[in-house]
Amino acid sequence: QKEVEQNSGPLSVPEGAIASLNCTYSDRGSQSFFWYRQYSGKSPELIMSIYSNGDKEDGRFTAQLNKASQYVSLLIRDSQPSDSATYLCAVNILIQGAQKLVFGQGTRLTINP
Amino acid sequence: NAGVTQTPKFQVLKTGQSMTLQCAQDMNHNSMYWYRQDPGMGLRLIYYSASEGTTDKGEVPNGYNVSRLNKREFSLRLESAAPSQTSVYFCASSEAVGGGIETQYFGPGTRLTVT
């Protein structure tokens, strides 16, 4: 099992709809969870971080964390064409005695006008 | 405030050549990282430096060396480039000592092709 798993997509969503991105992780002790957005040819940029169970909202973005199920998701409401990008889930994992940030392979999201 | 900067932006090497990728940050962060990104593989950690004067191996360190020159600068060296090292390389930094659980900020990347 990979330490952090995402569906690679592509995920296609009509403009104005809700886009739902999912991520599972292997380490029950993980405490920090991040969602990064990466436009084609650019570097990752942080859009959300979450540390506690439940929902965290920031504008059109909502991160949801369920530590019991080892599951973190990102919802994008009122999707816009500018949301088309690859979304990377990142989780801190204890590896060989040190905390490391491990990235999923990313989900490619396309918003169709 | 430039954040994280990387040079060069693009590089083409022949097999066996060496080169150094440079990274600098002006956010006074303690920790710095080098990642490579390949299609379908996400970001994989090559080396990291939790604080000035320390470096540690990540997931894919073979074929690379690093130097934490000072708090601002962290370089990645390919001693003898191989085609398998064709990739996009990202440098990142974070405030925390001990790495991995704080927000990381990324540089613009270096696109390296080894022929």
Side-chain angles (χ1 to χ4, degrees):
Chain A
Q1 181 194 2
K2 288 184 183 176
E3 291 152 333
V4 180
E5 291 204 62
Q6 298 179 252
N7 285 328
S8 58
L11 177 64
S12 187
V13 172
E15 184 176 356
I18 296 175
S20 177
L21 305 159
N22 304 316
C23 174
T24 58
Y25 59 95
S26 61
D27 183 0
R28 285 194 168 274
S30 294
Q31 298 292 324
S32 304
F33 307 85
F34 305 89
W35 283 99
Y36 284 82
R37 178 177 61 200
Q38 186 176 23
Y39 292 115
S40 181
K42 301 295 185 184
S43 58
E45 57 177 329
L46 180 75
I47 51 173
M48 291 285 286
S49 60
I50 186 167
Y51 303 95
S52 305
N53 271 333
D55 295 359
K56 179 181 178 183
E57 190 173 316
D58 184 0
R60 296 185 296 110
F61 297 95
T62 299
Q64 299 176 316
L65 176 60
N66 184 327
K67 290 185 180 180
S69 300
Q70 295 173 240
Y71 178 95
V72 57
S73 64
L74 180 71
L75 301 178
I76 307 174
R77 289 183 301 281
D78 188 23
S79 297
Q80 303 296 310
S82 59
D83 295 325
S84 297
T86 295
Y87 290 80
L88 301 168
C89 171
V91 180
N92 79 290
I93 304 281
L94 185 63
I95 299 174
Q96 295 177 334
Q99 293 289 342
K100 306 264 178 73
L101 194 62
V102 178
F103 287 81
Q105 71 268 41
T107 298
R108 188 154 55 92
L109 174 65
T110 300
I111 307 300
N112 299 309
Chain B
N1 197 347
V4 180
T5 57
Q6 292 182 235
T7 56
K9 287 188 167 50
F10 300 94
Q11 184 71 48
V12 179
L13 290 178
K14 294 188 187 313
T15 298
Q17 288 185 319
S18 61
M19 78 161 296
T20 299
L21 282 63
Q22 307 285 355
C23 174
Q25 52 91 9
D26 62 3
M27 296 177 281
N28 201 35
H29 284 169
N30 289 307
S31 300
M32 298 185 73
Y33 312 85
W34 276 106
Y35 292 92
R36 61 178 288 173
Q37 187 174 39
D38 303 293
M41 299 290 289
L43 287 156
R44 292 184 292 169
L45 183 65
I46 304 171
Y47 270 93
Y48 68 100
S49 171
S51 61
E52 187 178 354
T54 69
T55 60
D56 284 289
K57 294 178 180 179
E59 181 185 354
V60 287
N62 291 343
Y64 305 95
N65 285 302
V66 291
S67 296
R68 183 74 182 266
L69 305 168
N70 48 55
K71 192 171 185 179
R72 289 188 63 247
E73 298 173 288
F74 189 37
S75 63
L76 178 72
R77 182 160 178 83
L78 286 72
E79 291 291 352
S80 178
S84 60
Q85 294 177 304
T86 293
S87 188
V88 180
Y89 291 84
F90 289 103
C91 177
S93 70
S94 68
E95 188 170 359
V97 175
I101 58 172
E102 295 290 336
T103 300
Q104 294 185 13
Y105 298 89
F106 285 82
T110 295
R111 283 150 182 78
L112 175 67
T113 302
V114 183
T115 61

